[in-house]
Amino acid sequence: MQIDLDIGQPTWDLALMARPAALQQDWSYGEAVTRLGGRVIRAGLVDEGVLIGLVQFTARKIAGLVDMALCTRGPVWLESVSDAKRQQAYRLLKTGLGLSRPRLVMITPDEALDAGTRRLSRVMTGHSTVILDLTQDLDALRAGFDQKWRNNLKAAEKSGLSVVSNGTKLAQYRWLLASEEGQRAARGYRSTPATLVPEFVEARQARDSLLILRADTGKQKQAAMLFLVHGCSATYQIGWLDHENAPRGAHNFLLWSAIEQLRARGVQQLDLGGVNTTSGAGIARFKIGTGGRVVTLAGTYL
């Protein structure tokens, strides 16, 4: 097995059009990080001439001395890989990224703990997320909602709300980014900077990589959701709600509309993002209520 540090974007993007992957492993996500001042290392894992995996790291210097690289929710395996091959890949990545010593290479695999990770030291427990399989037909997806979630959706459908597509030029959705930054400051939670969104869209050079839906009553905004589309996957990135005026189930209505539109675009997998049943129980219930698969990542390994 070898590491290819010169892998190009066409090869990367083509592979992820056929294989669902996390946003953090998308080429344009790495470009957005670079535009915001970060450093990215990309590697292809090649075995007997076949590209079997892709790995994207963000990298930085710690205290101006230690080279640290972090792979979030990777590698993306493009082929069926044995435990022995995974172990070999992790060993190669520890030493083959061109980092100077001293160095730290950390990997958060987007998979259950397996023999490939057991020989590494876990330094952080894994978070959980909810994944919706959009290859199901719409009837099956709707039947998968729990009863309360479905009832809220029905209530919103009868409420007079209309779902509209918000424009995808930055000036047209800047209000939503500002709302997200305000929510983050008020509630004290951490998430990907809202400024990454326009950089991601610019890097992909396609506004169809962005889906923004609003729920309006007349000309009044009541709720909004923003999704990033990458390869054959999409990620729920930002949500906003007028808590005082929005009818019951406004976000249910928006998410259902997004599911319909994303499926029509050929998206196979929707990542609803992290669930935290301690400090974000309401949001966690909303995501889990979709009937999606709750995935707890193995953690971060050194």
Side-chain angles (χ1 to χ4, degrees), residues 42-61:
R42 300 183 182 93
L45 296 167
V46 181
D47 187 47
E48 298 181 356
V50 176
L51 181 65
I52 64 168
L54 300 171
V55 200
Q56 181 164 257
F57 291 82
T58 55
R60 62 188 178 93
K61 282 278 190 184

Side-chain angles (χ1 to χ4, degrees), residues 176-251:
L176 184 55
L177 302 185
S179 296
E180 167 64 11
E181 295 289 2
Q183 287 182 146
R184 184 182 311 173
R187 299 177 189 174
Y189 64 84
R190 298 179 61 188
S191 64
T192 304
T195 51
L196 182 133
V197 173
E199 297 294 353
F200 173 85
V201 175
E202 181 67 24
R204 289 196 73 85
Q205 299 183 339
R207 287 204 295 271
D208 64 359
S209 61
L210 185 62
L211 174 64
I212 307 172
L213 297 180
R214 290 197 329 265
D216 294 354
T217 301
K219 295 183 179 181
Q220 184 66 39
K221 301 182 185 77
Q222 305 284 16
M225 283 184 160
L226 182 151
F227 302 83
L228 299 180
V229 182
H230 44 100
C232 62
S233 304
T235 299
Y236 170 44
Q237 193 71 15
I238 294 174
W240 170 81
L241 182 71
D242 182 343
H243 291 278
E244 293 184 1
N245 301 303
R248 167 189 167 199
H251 269 165

Side-chain angles (χ1 to χ4, degrees), residues 117-282:
T117 57
R118 286 176 192 149
R119 295 190 178 186
L120 302 176
S121 299
R122 187 163 75 165
V123 295
M124 188 177 298
T125 57
H127 75 279
S128 298
T129 189
V130 176
I131 303 292
L132 267 176
D133 177 8
L134 300 191
T135 63
Q136 304 174 78
D137 63 38
L138 288 173
D139 288 341
L141 282 161
R142 187 155 180 145
F145 300 153
D146 72 30
Q147 189 62 54
K148 184 176 180 180
W149 208 101
R150 194 181 302 111
N151 289 343
N152 287 337
L153 172 59
K154 291 177 180 177
E157 289 173 330
K158 297 175 182 177
S159 69
L161 280 175
S162 60
V163 174
V164 298
S165 295
N166 195 97
T168 54
K169 293 181 179 179
L170 177 56
Q172 295 171 313
Y173 67 90
R174 197 187 304 273
W175 69 272
L176 184 55
L177 302 185
S179 296
E180 167 64 11
E181 295 289 2
Q183 287 182 146
R184 184 182 311 173
R187 299 177 189 174
Y189 64 84
R190 298 179 61 188
S191 64
T192 304
T195 51
L196 182 133
V197 173
E199 297 294 353
F200 173 85
V201 175
E202 181 67 24
R204 289 196 73 85
Q205 299 183 339
R207 287 204 295 271
D208 64 359
S209 61
L210 185 62
L211 174 64
I212 307 172
L213 297 180
R214 290 197 329 265
D216 294 354
T217 301
K219 295 183 179 181
Q220 184 66 39
K221 301 182 185 77
Q222 305 284 16
M225 283 184 160
L226 182 151
F227 302 83
L228 299 180
V229 182
H230 44 100
C232 62
S233 304
T235 299
Y236 170 44
Q237 193 71 15
I238 294 174
W240 170 81
L241 182 71
D242 182 343
H243 291 278
E244 293 184 1
N245 301 303
R248 167 189 167 199
H251 269 165
N252 304 66
F253 196 17
L254 284 177
L255 183 53
W256 176 242
S257 299
I259 288 169
E260 293 177 313
Q261 294 194 34
L262 291 169
R263 285 187 77 259
R265 293 189 186 188
V267 172
Q268 299 176 22
Q269 175 179 287
L270 173 59
D271 189 337
L272 293 176
V275 290
N276 183 336
T277 56
T278 302
S279 60

